[in-house]
Amino acid sequence: MTSHSRPVRTRFAPSPTGFLHIGGARTTLYNWLFARRHKGTFVLRIEDTDEVRSTTDSVTAILDSISWLGLDWDEGPVGMDGEKGPHAPYYQMKRLDIYQKYLKELEEKGFAYPCYCTKEELDEMRRLAQLEKRPPRYDGRCRNLTEGQRKDLEAAGKKSSIRFRMPDDGVTVIPDMIRGEVKFENRLLQDFVIRKTTGGPTYNFACVVDDHLMEISHVIRGDEHLSNTPSQAQIYKALGWEPPAFAHLSMIMGPDGSKLSKRHGATSVLEYRQLGYLPETMRNYLALLGWATTDSKQLFFGNELIEAFDLAGCQKSPATFDAVKLTWMNGEYIRKLALKDLMAAADPFLKAAGIPADAQPPLEKTVSLEHEKIKLLPEIPGLVDFFYREVAYSPKAMDKVLKAPGAKEVLTSLAAALANFEPFADKALEEKVRAFCVEKGLKTGQVFHPIRVACTGRTEGPTLFLMMEIMGRKRVLERLRAAAAILAA
């Protein structure tokens, strides 16, 4: 329970006209966190009343995105065909009969009326309003048509929408859990369409009916919906229903101060999965886009986010999306992963790079060498692929290391020294190679660097001697000799 007195029931209600973007993902997360924090219910509802733009592909992408983020819903769609929960159906286009009932009630009570204005007439209203520097609102010309006038319009083949009759004066006050009281002057608002000429409901009407019937206690959504709220509040009032508590989240901006968009990078949640971010990272980072604890804690593990989340921590000012911080955070989460979990997360990227799960040496060993360095999952194949492929020497490695004076002799002599050396293991190898340096009167860099480049083709990489142990004697000797042969040629 919260101060709103009803059992907590939140919802995320996306329109399936595209992918789930960062803003929608944050809204989903906040609703999920609030429900989990208060031992409530999280509902997923598909608002597919846009007959032209709604697609099943978008529904699939949205469900996949929310599932990948680990935000399980208690009621809503199951796959593409099933639904779970006592308030089904959870697709608005399956609820048309329900909306019709309440449309009729609003008309009978005098709160709604048919409007016969065409698109061209509405466009002309807007044009004139702009010329006269008035708000571009509907002028109410169909408000007071007589029954006879309506019949004449219908006989002439005019199709009607249905509009909700807003109050002419007074103020609609919205108590907002983030912004405090927000007031709207009714004279500046317009009679809005609640049923389209196609017969389908509009967003402002359908979401009110659904939120009431699904017993939603808290509507937590982006601030782009704040302007819709007085219209929705008047529908609640007209139908005699108690409205939910509202909380409108701040906008998410790009680093340049403009609204977050594709020009700032990936915006779809599924893109972040493809880029190699962990769902745990995305949950943590999204939570911090407009919310903070009193101690400004940055990293949350396990159930810490659920335990900490409170709408009182949400800010009114816009949040800034910082890809650099997100990538840093992903590295922190990757370092916390158990090796088996890291391997499971990396598996699609390793397979895409042509490195099979049963590759030798075992992937668990080679990936573990670089565990501390990884920030994004797609980096992993490139960090370990030299174990599984022919060595490709970088120009820098060839010019600065292998072509250095004496490098060929170092590789040839060292290959001979290690041919029968036992045990071929990390610490013993380090002792042996250091002793080799002393014996030959060489600095460690004159030996260590050629070994690394001969074995990997690179000037940088994992801990040298542990890498040699995992690579194994046969392959190390082959690579030392192959590099020496190239230099001899």
Side-chain angles (χ1 to χ4, degrees):
M1 294 281 196
T2 69
S3 59
H4 198 62
S5 81
R6 289 189 272 178
V8 168
R9 288 177 60 84
T10 66
R11 51 75 162 175
F12 178 58
S15 177
T17 56
F19 293 103
L20 180 67
H21 292 137
I22 289 297
R26 182 190 62 171
T27 300
T28 312
L29 174 66
Y30 282 17
N31 278 281
W32 182 84
L33 287 171
F34 191 82
R36 295 292 174 261
R37 168 77 188 275
H38 296 285
K39 305 292 188 291
T41 302
F42 174 52
V43 178
L44 179 61
R45 183 174 74 230
I46 304 298
E47 298 194 336
D48 55 350
T49 55
D50 187 333
E51 301 100 326
V52 176
R53 297 170 60 219
S54 294
T55 67
T56 55
D57 286 346
S58 292
V59 174
T60 300
I62 289 168
L63 299 183
D64 285 351
S65 298
I66 298 173
S67 297
W68 176 70
L69 287 169
L71 308 178
D72 55 316
W73 54 94
D74 304 298
E75 298 178 23
V78 179
M80 287 303 299
D81 301 315
E83 298 181 76
K84 63 175 180 179
H87 302 285
Y90 293 93
Y91 290 85
Q92 286 186 329
M93 288 304 285
K94 297 179 180 179
R95 300 172 62 81
L96 298 181
D97 289 346
I98 297 172
Y99 306 133
Q100 193 59 41
K101 171 185 173 184
Y102 295 103
L103 280 166
K104 185 177 180 182
E105 181 178 336
L106 288 173
E107 286 190 281
E108 288 173 349
K109 288 181 175 180
F111 288 108
Y113 62 88
C115 172
Y116 299 89
C117 295
T118 63
K119 180 181 182 300
E120 291 73 24
E121 289 170 326
L122 295 171
D123 289 341
E124 180 63 13
M125 278 183 222
R126 293 190 196 95
R127 190 185 70 81
L128 288 174
Q130 288 168 348
L131 285 174
E132 297 169 8
K133 295 183 168 38
R134 293 184 286 106
R137 55 198 292 270
Y138 177 67
D139 63 11
R141 65 181 61 177
C142 292
R143 247 187 178 209
N144 300 308
L145 292 176
T146 65
E147 191 62 32
Q149 289 172 317
R150 289 174 183 165
K151 286 181 178 178
D152 289 343
L153 288 166
E154 287 167 9
K158 286 260 192 168
K159 290 185 177 180
S160 69
S161 61
I162 294 179
R163 288 183 181 268
F164 183 84
R165 187 187 298 269
M166 287 292 282
D168 294 318
D169 49 28
V171 175
T172 300
V173 180
I174 305 299
D176 191 283
M177 296 180 71
I178 295 172
R179 299 165 188 279
E181 276 196 352
V182 185
K183 297 180 180 180
F184 298 86
E185 289 189 54
N186 293 332
R187 65 182 181 83
L188 299 177
L189 304 175
Q190 67 175 336
D191 292 356
F192 58 98
V193 174
I194 56 177
R195 194 208 70 190
K196 295 173 277 190
T197 55
T198 59
T202 61
Y203 161 75
N204 275 325
F205 176 63
C207 77
V208 168
V209 174
D210 291 341
D211 285 344
H212 172 73
L213 296 181
M214 293 181 185
E215 303 176 71
I216 301 302
S217 64
H218 294 77
V219 171
I220 304 167
R221 58 191 181 187
D223 66 355
E224 68 271 16
H225 290 290
L226 184 57
S227 60
N228 293 319
T229 310
S231 301
Q232 295 168 12
Q234 290 295 335
I235 295 177
Y236 279 106
K237 184 177 179 181
L239 291 170
W241 296 340
E242 180 187 1
F246 290 102
H248 289 91
L249 309 172
S250 62
M251 185 182 291
I252 302 174
M253 314 293 280
D256 60 359
S258 63
K259 187 174 180 180
L260 188 68
S261 66
K262 288 184 178 180
R263 69 176 175 276
H264 299 116
T267 56
S268 153
V269 168
L270 294 179
E271 285 181 273
Y272 284 92
R273 179 173 67 178
Q274 292 160 4
L275 289 170
Y277 291 91
L278 299 172
E280 301 94 317
T281 303
M282 295 305 295
R283 290 198 301 270
N284 192 153
Y285 186 72
L286 289 170
L288 298 177
L289 284 177
W291 170 82
T293 58
T294 52
D295 60 355
S296 297
K297 183 174 178 175
Q298 295 295 297
L299 295 171
F300 297 82
F301 299 99
N303 287 326
E304 289 177 344
L305 259 182
I306 293 174
E307 293 162 3
F309 187 76
D310 191 329
L311 288 175
C314 291
Q315 65 191 38
K316 299 177 188 177
S317 55
T320 300
F321 188 89
D322 183 350
V324 174
K325 181 176 179 180
L326 173 62
T327 301
W328 162 79
M329 187 176 286
N330 204 54
E332 294 295 311
Y333 268 90
I334 283 176
R335 279 187 278 284
K336 285 278 188 180
L337 278 184
L339 184 58
K340 66 178 180 63
D341 295 327
L342 175 60
M343 295 309 302
D347 184 61
F349 300 96
L350 289 162
K351 284 179 177 172
I355 304 175
D358 59 354
Q360 292 298 322
L363 277 164
E364 289 83 354
K365 289 186 176 182
T366 59
V367 172
S368 69
L369 288 172
E370 299 284 33
H371 196 161
E372 293 298 309
K373 296 181 185 176
I374 302 164
K375 291 184 178 179
L376 295 168
L377 296 174
E379 297 171 351
I380 294 174
L383 291 171
V384 301
D385 61 355
F386 63 83
F387 281 100
Y388 309 102
R389 295 180 179 145
E390 294 297 318
V391 177
Y393 305 103
S394 74
K396 175 184 174 184
M398 178 62 76
D399 293 341
K400 292 192 173 183
V401 178
L402 290 188
K403 289 183 178 179
K408 177 176 75 71
E409 290 73 18
V410 164
L411 295 173
T412 303
S413 301
L414 194 60
L418 296 179
N420 297 303
F421 175 72
E422 291 289 353
F424 203 84
D426 179 18
K427 300 300 181 187
L429 281 167
E430 182 174 0
E431 290 177 11
K432 176 66 174 175
V433 175
R434 287 187 181 278
F436 176 88
C437 293
V438 173
E439 177 190 334
K440 300 292 185 181
L442 299 169
K443 294 179 180 178
T444 54
Q446 291 176 286
V447 177
F448 289 10
H449 295 327
I451 296 173
R452 180 179 298 284
V453 172
C455 289
T456 69
R458 307 167 187 179
T459 56
E460 297 174 353
T463 304
L464 180 61
F465 300 104
L466 184 54
M467 178 199 77
M468 292 171 68
E469 175 188 331
I470 292 171
M471 189 172 284
R473 181 198 312 276
K474 181 175 182 292
R475 192 167 296 179
V476 168
L477 294 179
E478 286 173 352
R479 294 187 175 189
L480 294 178
R481 290 168 181 157
I486 290 171
L487 294 174

